[in-house]
Amino acid sequence: RVSEDAPETTVKRPRLEEKTDLRRWRMLDEKGRHTWHYLEDDKAVQKWPQSYADKWYLGLDTGLPTLPKPQKPLDAVVNGLTFFEKLQLPSGQWGCEYGGPMFLLPGIVFTWYATKTPIPWYVATEIKNYLFARAHPEDGGWGLHIEGESTVFGTALNYAVLRIVGLDPEHPVMVKARGTLHKLGGATYAPHWAKFWLSVLGVCKWDIVNPVPPELWLLPDWVPFAPWRWWIHMRQVFLPMSYIYEKKWSCGETDIIRALRQELFVEPWEKIDWLGNRNSICPVDNYHPKSWLLNTANWFLVHIWNPYLRTKGLAQKAEAWVSKLIDMEDENTDFADLAPVNAAMNTIVCYIRDGPGSYSVRRHIERLEDSMWVNGEGMLCNGTNGVQCWDTSFLIQVLTDAGLEQDPRWKPMLDKALIFLDNQQIRENCKDQDICYRQQRKGAWAFSTRDQGYAVCDCVSEALKSVILLQHTPGFPQLLEDQRIFDAVDTLLTYQNKSGACSSYEPTRGSELLEMLNAAEVFGKIMVEYDYVECTTAVVTALSLFQKHWPDYRPKEIEAFIGRSVKAVKSLQQPDGSWYGNWAICYTYATMFALESLKSIGETYSNSSYSKRGCDFLISKQREDGGWSESYRSCERMIYTEHPTGSQVVMTAWALIGLMKADYPDIEPLKKGIKLIMDRQQPNGEWKQEAIEGVFNKSCMISYPNYKFTFTMKALGMFATKYPNETVV
Ligand code: LAN
């Protein structure tokens, strides 16, 4: 409909080069906030040398030396730490690429385009390089995530990104991608989110977007499907989407936009039946088909509500409330926002509402940088603004598991890591917590940074364990006084679901039936919080550790919490003895956690049928070479599936950790697995990247590059403390 900007044909196209000089990229770490900078000036290059971490992220030679060949598992841990220590950043954390999903970068680039934010040539160039590197080797399209098959979602959006950063439509990569897109049916067959973004660009007409009614936000809290009950990621995306949908806003029409209208579709653009294609979706994109209920609701909204029933007064009221909630999200996160999906959309809302050049827009644009990442392939967008608190917590636990926490060799590294967690603890609740439906967070840690400020129960737990473990190690300072530990525990105790299990950001607030309103099509299980064995275990183990040191603090509640949680973990066990993993791949990951939960109440292989069946499951999946090799397909299909490339070190480490937590009695399978991890270690102490490790929403994979250090070393370290005399060579 209306475009609020004057039509313009002159948005400057970025200059595009073949490549940038990777030796000029630097990652700036400001108290955990990381941003990438390209130094064009030679003097600046000299003044700010590349760190080991920069080189490692960029796939350049780090020049780190060959280390003595490990004789024992503990030597391998020491070698791993010697390497990993060099990657620690000044603030005390380990930066991390967090790529995988292929729908994040488009949101950022479209937002730059819609807000007329210039794209520097080195950014445009590296985005192009990344997308070239990640195009499907056979058909040239892009999928939902880097290992997935080509979809309309991935291909239409990333094709548009490439055009915006300056690619010519006749470039062979573009021709190939376009061919694949057309074979899949073209952009009329895109899922909801893609139709939304393409309408923001003005490549689609808004009629093709299924309704995103802002009025839902006016529903009273008691309504079973009121948005405050939805999983936080869904409601925080729905929020700005509903605002933009309401405005039917599209950015200025340009040559590129006009060209995309011709290139992305199979039909002539002028003849497309926009309204009639709202529900068209390519089968490969349609992981979670819309329910009859949602289809009926959409029909009602489009054909009855919007034309006949909707009043202007109600629409304005809804818009005002949505706008206020967006402001609260921006303020609570200093414009970083929950994740780059809603951050991009909130930026557009501010651009529409506050105008170009406003503080809100400028600050948003700065903050979008926090999620950008550069690696040897090019520039991508991370799933969050980093993995800072999460990875730092695990690294600390590597040392405590390996019994190395008192070794002065690692003291400086651990001191810095502890200082990082000290700085990153969230000290206050959101001031408008109840109005904007936020969970209590005082004393908590986020997955990434305190600025982002979203407590996640397992992130709180892992950080809390790490802090307690270090602060009880002689020689470490008491940075967090007891009250701050109690704050964390108080917050953790708010996380238990009725079932006894824990979820991620909040206890479950709505029924699973809400999945009938899942409009995204490409993801499963997104509408509400579910019971997660991983998160539950983290909380159980954190509370157990806390109780050992502070037996008099809320003892009854903690005891009851743990008892109910472990019971819930047991009830989540599958008939084959495994557990389904929601946040990494898949049965192996979750079974590791479940066995740890059981161990925390003293149940192990020898005295618990749950533990024994979990171990037997893991053992049944061990391969000839001693490793484990589960594939991301397990998450989608919900059946254990092997990865075609064979054993993976991270997967092997998870299985071994699970078995060791369960005191699995036979050392032979453990030795075989440990040997595989040791054999894969490089002479300089690092491990190479293998298949993708993480997942969310059942269908989308995400990378955890630091896991190949933290979990491998944890497995080796646990083995070394359990069997100090075993050499495994
Ligand atoms: C994450 C990353 C961390 C992850 C763990 C802490 C590992 C997990 O145990 C709990 C859930 C959590 C916090 C999690 C939730 C979903 C996230 C934020 C992600 C997988 C990273 C990216 C993903 C987010 C939803 C991506 C944006 C996509 C949308 C569908 C909005």
Side-chain angles (χ1 to χ4, degrees), residues 5 48 79 119 136 194 258 289 418 421 430 575:
D5 289 324
W48 182 2
N79 281 5
I119 305 177
H136 194 284
R258 274 190 291 274
L418 181 59
L421 291 183
C430 297

Coordinates of all heavy atoms in Angstrom, one line a residue, residues 5 48 79 119 136 194 258 289 418 421 430 575:
D5 N 8.1 6.6 2.4 CA 9.3 7.3 1.9 C 9.0 7.8 0.5 O 8.3 7.1 -0.3 CB 10.5 6.4 1.8 CG 11.0 6.1 3.2 OD1 11.0 7.0 4.0 OD2 11.4 5.0 3.5
W48 N 46.8 -1.7 16.1 CA 45.9 -2.7 16.7 C 46.2 -4.0 16.0 O 45.5 -4.4 15.1 CB 44.5 -2.2 16.4 CG 43.4 -3.1 17.0 CD1 43.5 -4.2 17.7 CD2 42.0 -2.9 16.9 NE1 42.3 -4.8 18.1 CE2 41.3 -4.0 17.5 CE3 41.2 -2.0 16.2 CZ2 39.9 -4.1 17.6 CZ3 39.8 -2.1 16.3 CH2 39.2 -3.1 17.0
N79 N 47.1 -29.7 26.8 CA 47.3 -29.1 25.4 C 46.1 -28.3 24.9 O 46.3 -27.3 24.3 CB 47.6 -30.3 24.5 CG 49.1 -30.8 24.6 OD1 49.8 -30.3 25.5 ND2 49.5 -31.7 23.8
I119 N 25.8 0.3 3.3 CA 26.6 -1.0 3.6 C 28.0 -0.8 3.0 O 28.2 -0.7 1.8 CB 25.9 -2.2 2.9 CG1 24.4 -2.2 3.3 CG2 26.6 -3.5 3.2 CD1 23.6 -3.3 2.6
H136 N 24.1 -24.2 -1.6 CA 24.0 -25.7 -1.6 C 24.9 -26.2 -2.8 O 24.8 -25.7 -3.9 CB 22.6 -26.1 -1.9 CG 22.4 -27.6 -1.6 ND1 22.8 -28.6 -2.5 CD2 21.9 -28.2 -0.6 CE1 22.5 -29.7 -2.0 NE2 21.9 -29.6 -0.8
A194 N 9.0 -15.1 5.4 CA 9.6 -14.6 4.2 C 8.7 -13.7 3.5 O 9.0 -12.7 3.0 CB 10.0 -15.8 3.3
R258 N 12.3 -3.4 -7.9 CA 11.6 -3.7 -9.1 C 12.1 -4.9 -9.8 O 11.4 -5.8 -10.3 CB 11.6 -2.5 -10.1 CG 10.5 -1.5 -9.8 CD 10.4 -0.4 -10.9 NE 11.6 0.4 -10.9 CZ 11.7 1.5 -10.1 NH1 10.7 1.9 -9.3 NH2 12.8 2.2 -10.1
P289 N 2.9 -27.9 9.1 CA 1.7 -27.3 8.4 C 0.8 -26.6 9.3 O 0.6 -27.0 10.5 CB 1.1 -28.5 7.8 CG 2.1 -29.6 7.8 CD 3.0 -29.3 9.0
L418 N 36.3 -15.6 36.0 CA 35.4 -15.3 37.1 C 35.0 -13.9 37.1 O 33.8 -13.5 37.4 CB 36.1 -15.7 38.4 CG 35.4 -15.5 39.7 CD1 34.1 -16.3 39.8 CD2 36.2 -15.8 41.0
L421 N 32.1 -13.4 34.8 CA 30.8 -13.8 35.3 C 30.3 -12.8 36.4 O 29.1 -12.6 36.5 CB 30.9 -15.2 35.8 CG 31.0 -16.3 34.7 CD1 31.0 -17.7 35.4 CD2 29.9 -16.2 33.6
C430 N 13.7 -6.4 35.6 CA 13.3 -5.3 34.7 C 12.3 -4.4 35.5 O 11.5 -4.9 36.3 CB 12.5 -5.9 33.6 SG 13.5 -7.0 32.5
P575 N 11.1 -45.0 25.3 CA 11.1 -46.4 25.5 C 12.4 -47.1 25.2 O 12.8 -48.1 25.8 CB 10.0 -46.9 24.4 CG 9.2 -45.7 24.2 CD 10.0 -44.5 24.4

